[in-house]
Amino acid sequence: MPPRKKSAAPATGAPVSMADLARELGVSMTTISRALSDHHSIGPEMKRKVLKLAKKYNYQPNRLASALRKGRSKLLGIIVPYIEGRFFARVVHGMETAARQAGYHVIICQSNEEEAQERRNIEALLNLQVAGILTSVARTTRDYQHFDQVTERGVPLVFFDRRPDERPVHAVVLDDQEGGYLATRHLLQQGCRRVAHVAGPQYLNIYRNRRLGYLQALQEAGIPPDEALISYGDMSQEAGAAALRQWLKLPAPPDAVFAAGDYAALGVMEAALSSGLAVPGELAVVGFSNETFTVISKPAISSVEQRCEEMGQAAVRLLLELIEADGSVLGPRQLVLHPELLVRASSQRLEVSAAPKETKPRRK
Amino acid sequence: MPPRKKSAAPATGAPVSMADLARELGVSMTTISRALSDHHSIGPEMKRKVLKLAKKYNYQPNRLASALRKGRSKLLGIIVPYIEGRFFARVVHGMETAARQAGYHVIICQSNEEEAQERRNIEALLNLQVAGILTSVARTTRDYQHFDQVTERGVPLVFFDRRPDERPVHAVVLDDQEGGYLATRHLLQQGCRRVAHVAGPQYLNIYRNRRLGYLQALQEAGIPPDEALISYGDMSQEAGAAALRQWLKLPAPPDAVFAAGDYAALGVMEAALSSGLAVPGELAVVGFSNETFTVISKPAISSVEQRCEEMGQAAVRLLLELIEADGSVLGPRQLVLHPELLVRASSQRLEVSAAPKETKPRRK
DNA sequence: TTGTATGCGTTATCAG
DNA sequence: CTGATAACGCATACAA
């Protein structure tokens, strides 16, 4: 192979290093390094010259070398259960945007909801010397010591949406209870008196909290909860439909349903319509997650918006704060985001006088 | 700060280096390095000892140092216009999966459809010494020299879905023309004779090709194309609705519509239904992209599935091939994936005797 | 204000 | 089969 040329020349796409620039200018590498990082001890004269030459040769710093030297890279690791769902895709969108603005880049890993994969991802990210890690715990994770390993190594860790319970961790979460409360209260305000609930797996805190919010709203309205009106399932469309069919057999069937997920809400609604029930007239329905199809379905489904992008951005901001604090942060930092109820046709019983369809039409 | 301890001890989460292991075992770093990378010139005895110690101290290699030394990392850069859409999220899912299986990690960047951002992303990825780059060109990109820069630096580059026209690049794309052809032919086979087309911006090759497929099917059936039956727009739901309203004013309105996107198809369908037209009875509709809502809408919308995950995996496989070939690949490598028409209710005019709703029910 | 020297953790090239 | 040594490109403590 051809020997390295003496004078820096961008003939081919050859990478130019600081040493090359130093040689060319007849100064030391230190000067170059300082000039490029805008160190105060460099004369404006020199600075100009260095920058000019750097531009001329299109100098590009080797971030890896820099990271190796400094012991920390400008990389953030993200571990999500899966990326193709709408929720995580939107969160990652917010994260990438916030990270980029701060000069960081993000490495995406998927755990596929498996603890073992999560463990491997953590290890790999640490080996890549990431500056911090953002993660949403896999469904199957029961043991959390691989997360402890992260903080023990001095790498900041922020959980988002799904966090380990009862552990003092940094986290950004949605107030799911508030979401459940808002949805249920809204149904009660529409005049409904027997509000049923399609609940998700209770070992997941998000579903537990949505259910708590449901109960809170009932209690506030002085309505005793009725376990017969709560259906536990996997939140699928079919689960929602099945739940409704059961409820219709009751002596006093519900006049409203709050489903902890949009697919279940859709299932409820379709089962209702095909049983000849009017929606929202005889059965009002609210879902959760603001999936794309909620706007499109007939009638459009009211739903709780989770502010995914904000969650992503907030998580990155918190992580960067921890990174810059460099271990001097004491207690766990928590950030709770507030959900937003989007009222659409499926729950709109009372005629709203000249009001827009969605209470807060913030989306484009 | 406390001085580095002499003997490697995992008291805190202190990173253990090869030097630590070497000291502990009383051998040289070279031996450690070789034993860990399973070099042939290391005795099985020694190998065992090293591996045991590495496990004991939970040694983790510093990938950055390795990459710096070898001049290439195990990182792949991905640049997508945006990650939160279903299409790119699914593609990235396929990419991450394939990359992980090969021991690589992926860095995600978004261009936000802006050429300037695309340029910055490329620069940043090169500075991170990625082993290769996967990208889908931003809408606004007119100048391609930032891509040339990548290959000039010796870094393999693979385009997916959106590729620069007329340039000899490595690319994995969907056969959009075939998609348009399949959709249109299917409508003709259903007995439709006046098939209209909602087309997208023609400066994007994907929409151009879908339109070509449409024309091809017409020609094959001996039906002369009618420009009055082609509507050009932004593929929004409203654009689809507007197109249909226009067509209904024609002396001979269409009896079928192939829309180059699902949202437009939905718009067409809803406009038709609200004009009292029966779907598929009086107007058959086929969309493109297999969006989630197509299954959910009433009637369910027939659509062309793009095999996003396969595209992502294929792109990664091609990229890895180029990386391992180390510049010895001559001409541009092309890979064309075949779309799949999913026939649902919106286009099903003829009764299919005891056939499943979707022709090839491959999805779960 | 600038330069010298050293090390970050790994791998490759020698020589033994 | 193993070891000493020199890089990779950058950043900093220290000296001038």
Side-chain angles (χ1 to χ4, degrees):
Chain A
M1 67 194 90
R4 204 87 146 74
K5 32 196 187 325
K6 284 283 169 64
S7 65
T12 82
V16 179
S17 77
M18 285 190 177
D20 296 322
L21 298 182
R23 205 175 312 124
E24 180 91 1
L25 266 188
V27 299
S28 80
M29 273 179 52
T30 314
T31 306
I32 304 289
S33 173
R34 285 181 173 151
L36 291 175
S37 51
D38 204 33
H39 194 278
H40 63 272
S41 75
I42 293 290
E45 182 71 7
M46 193 72 219
K47 209 171 280 180
R48 262 199 324 97
K49 266 167 52 183
V50 172
L51 290 179
K52 208 182 110 199
L53 195 72
K55 183 142 297 174
K56 177 180 166 198
Y57 285 153
N58 187 30
Y59 165 78
Q60 299 292 124
N62 184 328
R63 303 285 178 203
L64 252 46
S66 167
L68 176 60
R69 175 64 232 256
K70 298 211 284 211
R72 191 125 305 175
S73 70
K74 286 279 199 175
L75 294 172
L76 303 182
I78 301 180
I79 306 176
V80 288
Y82 47 89
I83 178 72
E84 76 274 31
R86 187 171 148 72
F87 176 80
F88 287 114
R90 284 179 62 194
V91 173
V92 167
H93 169 63
M95 287 179 170
E96 196 275 342
T97 306
R100 172 163 29 99
Q101 284 165 1
Y104 283 76
H105 284 90
V106 299
I107 298 185
I108 306 272
C109 303
Q110 302 181 95
S111 68
N112 296 323
E113 302 281 18
E114 285 169 28
E115 180 173 340
Q117 185 55 47
E118 196 170 72
R119 194 185 306 276
R120 280 193 294 271
N121 285 332
I122 293 238
E123 211 150 77
L125 289 176
L126 289 178
N127 296 351
L128 283 167
Q129 316 294 116
V130 294
I133 295 183
L134 299 151
T135 188
S136 211
V137 188
R139 290 224 154 135
T140 60
T141 299
R142 294 291 170 271
D143 176 32
Y144 296 100
Q145 71 188 36
H146 49 299
F147 292 124
D148 298 338
Q149 198 188 351
V150 176
T151 44
E152 275 164 20
R153 276 242 218 158
V155 175
L157 176 65
V158 169
F159 290 89
F160 60 92
D161 195 51
R162 304 194 200 158
R163 51 156 296 175
D165 287 322
E166 328 254 345
R167 296 194 139 220
V169 296
H170 305 293
V172 177
V173 294
L174 184 81
D175 191 334
D176 281 285
Q177 176 163 355
E178 183 180 357
Y181 171 78
L182 287 175
T184 311
R185 191 186 63 176
H186 161 69
L187 289 168
L188 293 169
Q189 283 171 346
Q190 296 295 307
C192 304
R193 276 300 157 266
R194 285 187 64 70
V195 181
H197 176 44
V198 185
Q202 296 295 299
Y203 65 88
L204 289 178
N205 49 15
I206 54 172
Y207 292 121
R208 221 165 38 233
N209 289 333
R210 289 171 198 180
R211 177 169 163 278
L212 286 178
Y214 159 78
L215 294 174
Q216 181 193 344
L218 288 187
Q219 180 174 29
E220 192 180 281
I223 299 179
D226 180 353
E227 267 296 326
L229 290 184
I230 303 183
S231 165
Y232 300 89
D234 61 3
M235 302 312 290
S236 67
Q237 191 176 345
E238 181 45 36
L244 186 80
R245 284 192 294 266
Q246 284 302 314
W247 286 325
L248 289 185
K249 293 179 189 161
L250 292 178
D255 55 1
V257 175
F258 160 52
D262 282 330
Y263 281 92
L266 179 70
V268 165
M269 200 174 80
E270 296 200 328
L273 292 173
S274 69
S275 300
L277 278 185
V279 177
E282 295 170 281
L283 189 83
V285 176
V286 176
F288 207 108
S289 289
N290 194 21
E291 294 281 349
T292 336
F293 67 79
T294 54
V295 192
I296 278 160
S297 83
K298 299 287 170 190
I301 302 175
S302 299
S303 191
V304 178
E305 156 65 28
Q306 297 169 285
R307 304 172 168 285
C308 314
E309 288 84 359
E310 279 121 299
M311 182 176 292
Q313 288 179 12
V316 165
R317 273 200 296 270
L318 173 53
L319 184 62
L320 292 179
E321 222 177 285
L322 296 170
I323 289 171
E324 273 146 34
D326 202 31
S328 68
V329 174
L330 302 166
R333 297 278 310 267
Q334 310 283 338
L335 192 48
V336 178
L337 298 179
H338 298 286
E340 179 183 6
L341 176 67
L342 300 176
V343 177
R344 303 202 178 97
S346 72
S347 67
Q348 197 103 351
R349 270 191 170 178
L350 312 173
E351 279 315 311
V352 187
S353 50
K357 257 187 190 163
E358 301 198 354
T359 40
K360 301 185 191 174
R362 287 169 50 264
R363 319 272 137 219
K364 25 180 186 309
Chain B
M1 64 195 90
R4 205 88 146 73
K5 32 194 189 326
K6 284 282 170 64
S7 66
T12 80
V16 179
S17 77
M18 286 189 175
D20 297 322
L21 298 183
R23 205 175 311 126
E24 181 92 1
L25 265 190
V27 298
S28 79
M29 276 176 48
T30 314
T31 305
I32 304 289
S33 172
R34 284 178 174 155
L36 291 174
S37 51
D38 205 34
H39 194 277
H40 64 271
S41 73
I42 294 290
E45 182 72 7
M46 192 72 222
K47 210 171 281 182
R48 261 199 327 96
K49 266 166 53 182
V50 172
L51 291 179
K52 206 182 111 200
L53 195 71
K55 182 143 298 174
K56 177 181 167 198
Y57 285 152
N58 187 30
Y59 164 78
Q60 299 293 124
N62 184 329
R63 303 285 177 203
L64 253 45
S66 168
L68 175 61
R69 180 60 237 254
K70 299 212 284 212
R72 190 127 304 175
S73 70
K74 286 279 199 176
L75 294 172
L76 303 182
I78 300 180
I79 306 176
V80 288
Y82 48 89
I83 178 74
E84 75 273 32
R86 187 171 148 74
F87 176 81
F88 287 115
R90 284 179 62 195
V91 173
V92 168
H93 170 64
M95 287 179 170
E96 196 275 342
T97 305
R100 173 162 30 98
Q101 284 165 0
Y104 282 76
H105 284 91
V106 299
I107 297 185
I108 306 272
C109 302
Q110 302 181 96
S111 66
N112 297 322
E113 302 281 17
E114 285 169 28
E115 180 173 339
Q117 186 55 47
E118 197 170 70
R119 195 184 305 276
R120 281 193 293 272
N121 284 332
I122 292 236
E123 211 150 76
L125 289 175
L126 289 178
N127 295 351
L128 283 168
Q129 316 294 115
V130 294
I133 294 183
L134 299 151
T135 188
S136 212
V137 188
R139 291 225 153 137
T140 59
T141 299
R142 295 290 169 272
D143 176 32
Y144 297 99
Q145 71 188 37
H146 49 299
F147 293 123
D148 297 337
Q149 199 187 352
V150 176
T151 43
E152 275 164 19
R153 275 242 219 160
V155 175
L157 176 66
V158 169
F159 291 89
F160 60 92
D161 195 50
R162 304 193 200 159
R163 52 156 296 175
D165 288 322
E166 330 254 344
R167 295 193 140 222
V169 297
H170 305 293
V172 177
V173 294
L174 184 81
D175 192 335
D176 281 286
Q177 175 163 355
E178 182 180 357
Y181 170 78
L182 288 175
T184 310
R185 190 187 63 176
H186 161 68
L187 289 168
L188 293 169
Q189 284 171 346
Q190 296 295 308
C192 303
R193 277 298 159 265
R194 285 186 64 70
V195 181
H197 176 44
V198 186
Q202 295 296 298
Y203 65 88
L204 289 179
N205 49 15
I206 54 172
Y207 292 121
R208 220 164 39 233
N209 289 333
R210 290 172 198 179
R211 177 170 162 277
L212 286 178
Y214 160 77
L215 294 174
Q216 179 193 345
L218 289 186
Q219 180 174 29
E220 192 179 281
I223 299 178
D226 179 352
E227 267 297 326
L229 289 184
I230 304 183
S231 165
Y232 299 90
D234 61 3
M235 302 312 291
S236 66
Q237 191 176 344
E238 181 45 36
L244 186 80
R245 284 192 293 265
Q246 284 303 314
W247 286 326
L248 291 185
K249 293 178 188 161
L250 292 179
D255 55 2
V257 176
F258 160 51
D262 282 331
Y263 281 92
L266 179 69
V268 165
M269 200 174 80
E270 296 200 327
L273 292 173
S274 68
S275 299
L277 278 185
V279 176
E282 296 171 280
L283 190 82
V285 177
V286 175
F288 206 110
S289 288
N290 194 22
E291 293 281 349
T292 336
F293 67 79
T294 54
V295 192
I296 279 160
S297 82
K298 301 283 171 192
I301 302 175
S302 299
S303 191
V304 178
E305 156 66 28
Q306 296 169 285
R307 305 171 167 285
C308 314
E309 288 85 358
E310 279 121 298
M311 182 176 292
Q313 289 179 12
V316 165
R317 274 200 296 270
L318 173 53
L319 184 62
L320 293 179
E321 222 176 284
L322 295 170
I323 289 171
E324 274 147 33
D326 202 30
S328 68
V329 174
L330 302 167
R333 298 278 309 267
Q334 309 283 339
L335 193 48
V336 178
L337 299 179
H338 297 286
E340 178 183 8
L341 177 66
L342 300 176
V343 177
R344 304 200 178 99
S346 73
S347 67
Q348 198 104 350
R349 270 192 170 179
L350 313 172
E351 279 315 311
V352 188
S353 51
K357 258 187 190 162
E358 301 198 356
T359 40
K360 301 185 192 174
R362 288 171 49 263
R363 319 273 138 219
K364 26 181 176 344

